[in-house]
Amino acid sequence: MRLIQSWLLATFVALAMTVGALAQDASPLPDYDRWAITATNAEQTLSEGQASDSALETRRASIAHWREDFLAAQDTNAARIATIESQINALGAAPAEGETEDPEIAKRREELGAQLTALRAPVVRAEEAYTRANGLIAEIDRVIRERQADALLELGPTPLNPTYWPRAMDDVLNSLHKSWIEVKTNATSQFRRDLARQNLPVILVLVVVGVMLLARGQSWARAGVQYLRGKAPRGTGVFRFLVSLGQVVLPLLGIYALVQAAQATGFVGTRWLLLLEQIPLWATLLLGIHWLADESFHENDEIATLPLEPSERVRAGRYADMLAWAYVLKEVLDSIGQFDNYSAATNAVLDFPLLVVSGLLLFRLGRVRNDVAMAGSAEAREGEQSYFRLRFARLMGRTAMIIGILGPVMAAIGYARVGEALVYPFIASLALVGLLLVLQRFINDLYELATGRRADAQDSLLPVLGGFALTLIFIPFVALIWGARVADLTEIWARFQEGFTLGDTRISPTDFLIVIIVFVMGYMVTRLLQGAFRTSILPKTKIDQGGQNAIVSGMGYVGIFVAAIVAITAGGLDLSSLAIVAGALSVGIGFGLQNIVSNFVSGIILLIERPITEGDWIEVNGTHGIVKDISVRSTRLETFDKYDLIIPGADFV
């Protein structure tokens, strides 16, 4: 029954692949006339060099869409082309210069060649268009990167110049005055007063709910966490984690209610509305960092992702909260500056104090982590699971100390963008690393809840793989924090989808997936056959136990070899292109792996000729023992004192 199921599954996969190939062949070709207009306009825009970054990004996205169509069009007529090429190969090699062949074969070869040329025409055109699109995308990326580098390294006004301070103060006072006038004007409007009076019940309810959630939300969440910890069933860590999120969600709902209440009054205008719309986001940052700090530097070592000394945990959490406030204040100043169009000098003067405070906090936080990581000797921490995290914390701490000094110094010189590009992305990276560690601990708790085993056990591979996958997911976010564009990430994904070329064959991720699926299916079929022969067929024959083991082992090696060949062929890899590589490997095997190959061949000879079988009493090099197992590479003996002795197959031959 299992063999029939495997055969049906293999048939289904083959039919799906055939239908996919036919669908690719039937797919419509791109509109090359429209593409020519798009490409020409893009080339003209690049030559003029006047387009903005946003315009270039929009044009790049359009070209990237065209490129995907061209990549798909390269598979046009793929099945038919493969058939024609097989027909041409069946005719044999073309005659050399000066030689002739049968007229009918020559005529057939010419007909097939003409068909192949006609079938490959759309493919060649798609390849040419793909190359052009690829070049345009690379040129647009180069222009945008050069602009970003020039803007980053542009020398601006230094915030230490006292002549800029009065103007900055006037700009801030002017913004505050405009904000007050806006509220005052709206408050004196009879229409807005009537609107506020009409919405008064809703406003009161929102204010009461908001104040209650903001004042008591975190304490309610902490009480829930303490209750779960007191119960202490299996999986407490999972439920404790979920309940602890209430420390962020409940106060955030309260802030959102207060924002809605302020908007319902009708007294807020455009200026205040701009800030109110962003308050929930800023509150999420503040509450989220506070929650991360509490989870990372928790007083309980089983919960804390970075176990520090008790005296240092409070300091580390306080520094994290202050960094979050500095980060949010920077965002508030940027929003106001963009709305009122502050000058570069005013922005430099206003941003510099926050940058200095952020750098100082980073330096202090780095010292906390360094001091704790260096507190104990390496010998005392080698056996602890947190040793690697402490070493990583020490590295991050040293980096924080360097950036905490370098960022404000660069801003003081006049390279404000360089300073901000160092300090604030590093703060965001610290928060992202903290979130990663917390989520990894949550994965461990889930594993413990599902299996009842601790994640730090020797055989607990799933939590490690889950943490590795989580790290891979976080890498794109780190890249975005440090200035990578979304287009850069999509370009990496496009390159991955494109695959790579091996000889005349392009290998794509889909091909890898097909190879894995076919090989796994072949491996499963091989194991099923081995099991059927070992338990059902061979015991009913007159073959002794050694012969049965030899047959089963041979079936395993042959089946795995055939499964690998079939999988590689199904993936579209031409095995003939590996002939040179195989020749080079044979030379390497002959010199470097001759002992292994000798033992392997000797083991096959022993399995076929069977001069010894399992259970025989033999003597090898003065050692007596009973043959317990015969494998391809070696034979295992059991001596009188119950020790196992592994003897290479070449020693027997």
Side-chain angles (χ1 to χ4, degrees):
M1 180 62 67
R2 292 183 177 178
L3 292 176
I4 295 176
Q5 292 177 350
S6 300
W7 180 82
L8 290 175
L9 181 59
T11 304
F12 175 76
V13 172
L15 290 175
M17 293 171 59
T18 304
V19 173
L22 294 175
Q24 289 179 348
D25 291 347
S27 59
L29 296 177
D31 189 347
Y32 290 101
D33 294 334
R34 286 181 54 199
W35 159 244
I37 297 174
T38 302
T40 302
N41 293 336
E43 292 169 351
Q44 183 178 358
T45 300
L46 289 171
S47 62
E48 294 174 354
Q50 301 297 325
S52 63
D53 289 350
S54 60
L56 290 177
E57 291 284 6
T58 302
R59 193 171 293 275
R60 184 196 184 283
S62 175
I63 297 175
H65 180 73
W66 280 103
R67 185 177 62 175
E68 293 178 1
D69 294 340
F70 298 145
L71 181 62
Q74 292 180 21
D75 293 330
T76 303
N77 302 327
R80 185 59 181 156
I81 289 174
T83 303
I84 296 295
E85 290 177 344
S86 300
Q87 290 179 270
I88 294 176
N89 293 332
L91 296 177
E97 186 177 356
E99 298 180 357
T100 59
E101 63 178 346
D102 186 88
E104 294 184 1
I105 296 179
K107 181 180 179 181
R108 185 56 179 165
R109 188 188 304 276
E110 184 179 355
E111 292 175 353
L112 292 175
Q115 294 180 24
L116 182 62
T117 302
L119 290 172
R120 283 192 54 83
V123 180
V124 173
R125 189 170 187 182
E127 291 175 350
E128 182 274 332
Y130 179 88
T131 303
R132 187 179 184 184
N134 211 31
L136 287 173
I137 289 175
E139 191 171 354
I140 291 175
D141 288 339
R142 179 184 58 80
V143 171
I144 294 177
R145 291 193 191 98
E146 289 178 353
R147 290 181 179 179
Q148 289 178 340
D150 293 340
L152 182 65
L153 300 177
E154 182 181 0
L155 182 62
T158 172
L160 301 181
N161 190 345
T163 58
Y164 299 139
W165 299 352
R167 173 65 184 276
M169 183 62 67
D170 291 340
D171 289 339
V172 172
L173 294 177
N174 187 34
S175 297
L176 294 176
H177 179 70
K178 290 180 179 179
S179 301
W180 168 249
I181 293 299
E182 183 180 83
V183 174
K184 183 179 179 180
T185 302
N186 293 334
T188 56
S189 172
Q190 187 62 38
F191 171 76
R192 293 183 179 272
R193 287 183 177 180
D194 294 339
L195 181 63
R197 189 178 299 108
Q198 181 181 354
N199 295 334
L200 185 60
V202 177
I203 294 173
L204 292 177
V205 171
L206 289 174
V207 169
V208 171
V209 172
V211 171
M212 184 178 299
L213 289 175
L214 193 59
R216 304 293 299 172
Q218 289 190 339
S219 61
W220 291 342
R222 291 194 185 96
V225 171
Q226 294 297 329
Y227 174 77
L228 288 177
R229 288 184 61 189
K231 292 297 182 180
R234 194 180 81 182
T236 301
V238 175
F239 303 116
R240 187 208 62 80
F241 174 84
L242 296 176
V243 174
S244 69
L245 291 177
Q247 300 179 35
V248 177
V249 175
L250 295 180
L252 186 60
L253 290 176
I255 292 175
Y256 183 78
L258 293 177
V259 169
Q260 294 299 315
Q263 293 180 358
T265 60
F267 296 153
V268 296
T270 306
R271 177 182 298 275
W272 282 100
L273 186 62
L274 174 66
L275 297 178
L276 288 175
E277 289 176 349
Q278 299 186 67
I279 283 179
L281 175 60
W282 296 333
T284 303
L285 290 175
L286 294 174
L287 295 171
I289 295 299
H290 181 77
W291 174 78
L292 278 177
D294 185 56
E295 294 289 311
S296 301
F297 312 122
H298 201 275
E299 59 183 7
N300 188 349
D301 288 339
E302 294 183 358
I303 299 176
T305 57
L306 284 175
L308 305 179
E309 297 295 332
S311 60
E312 302 289 350
R313 299 185 183 189
V314 178
R315 288 177 55 196
R318 184 168 63 248
Y319 291 152
D321 289 337
M322 295 173 68
L323 279 171
W325 276 102
Y327 192 93
V328 169
L329 288 177
K330 170 66 168 54
E331 294 294 324
V332 173
L333 286 178
D334 287 344
S335 299
I336 297 175
Q338 292 176 3
F339 188 85
D340 289 333
N341 196 20
Y342 286 169
S343 63
T346 299
N347 286 326
V349 171
L350 296 179
D351 293 339
F352 184 70
L354 289 177
L355 190 64
V356 172
V357 171
S358 300
L360 178 62
L361 292 173
L362 277 180
F363 185 85
R364 299 295 298 273
L365 186 60
R367 289 197 61 183
V368 167
R369 293 187 174 187
N370 278 335
D371 292 342
V372 174
M374 296 292 291
S377 62
E379 292 79 10
R381 296 189 181 272
E382 279 292 342
E384 298 183 7
Q385 184 181 9
S386 60
Y387 180 65
F388 172 77
R389 292 185 178 182
L390 289 175
R391 293 190 62 183
F392 180 74
R394 181 177 62 181
L395 176 62
M396 294 291 289
R398 290 178 177 177
T399 306
M401 293 171 64
I402 295 174
I403 291 179
I405 296 175
L406 185 60
V409 170
M410 296 299 293
I413 296 174
Y415 293 101
R417 294 186 179 180
V418 175
E420 294 176 358
L422 288 173
V423 173
Y424 295 116
F426 189 79
I427 296 175
S429 299
L430 288 178
L432 202 61
V433 170
L435 180 60
L436 174 62
L437 295 178
V438 171
L439 292 180
Q440 285 182 342
R441 187 198 62 202
F442 178 66
I443 291 177
N444 295 340
D445 293 336
L446 280 176
Y447 177 79
E448 184 177 353
L449 175 62
T451 63
R453 294 180 296 178
R454 291 185 59 85
D456 54 359
Q458 292 293 331
D459 57 346
S460 300
L461 180 61
L462 289 179
V464 177
L465 296 178
F468 179 73
L470 194 64
T471 303
L472 293 180
I473 294 174
F474 271 61
I475 289 177
F477 295 99
V478 175
L480 292 174
I481 287 174
W482 286 97
R485 297 155 41 228
V486 177
D488 295 331
L489 302 181
T490 56
E491 183 67 15
I492 295 176
W493 178 248
R495 294 297 184 184
F496 175 75
Q497 287 183 313
E498 178 185 355
F500 62 93
T501 302
L502 182 62
D504 296 330
T505 305
R506 191 181 76 245
I507 307 299
S508 65
T510 305
D511 298 328
F512 280 111
L513 183 61
I514 293 175
V515 169
I516 294 174
I517 292 176
V518 174
F519 179 77
V520 170
M521 291 177 58
Y523 181 81
M524 293 173 60
V525 171
T526 300
R527 292 307 184 192
L528 289 174
L529 287 175
Q530 284 183 294
F533 270 78
R534 181 185 293 110
T535 59
S536 301
I537 299 177
L538 292 178
K540 298 179 181 180
T541 64
K542 296 182 179 180
I543 304 175
D544 58 19
Q545 187 63 37
Q548 295 180 16
N549 293 336
I551 293 174
V552 172
S553 299
M555 288 180 58
Y557 288 106
V558 173
I560 291 175
F561 178 77
V562 172
I565 297 297
V566 173
I568 293 175
T569 305
L573 180 61
D574 187 5
L575 295 179
S576 62
S577 62
L578 301 178
I580 299 178
V581 178
L585 287 177
S586 63
V587 176
I589 291 173
F591 287 99
L593 304 178
Q594 54 184 348
N595 291 332
I596 296 178
V597 175
S598 175
N599 291 325
F600 185 82
V601 174
S602 300
I604 293 177
I605 293 174
L606 292 175
L607 290 173
I608 294 176
E609 296 184 352
R610 292 183 289 121
I612 58 174
T613 59
E614 294 184 8
D616 290 348
W617 173 267
I618 64 173
E619 177 186 354
V620 181
N621 296 330
T623 302
H624 297 265
I626 300 175
V627 178
K628 289 297 184 180
D629 180 64
I630 302 175
S631 63
V632 175
R633 193 184 65 85
S634 62
T635 298
R636 181 170 60 89
L637 299 183
E638 185 181 88
T639 61
F640 268 127
D641 48 3
K642 300 300 181 180
Y643 280 99
D644 286 342
L645 182 64
I646 306 299
I647 302 176
D651 291 354
F652 286 100
V653 175

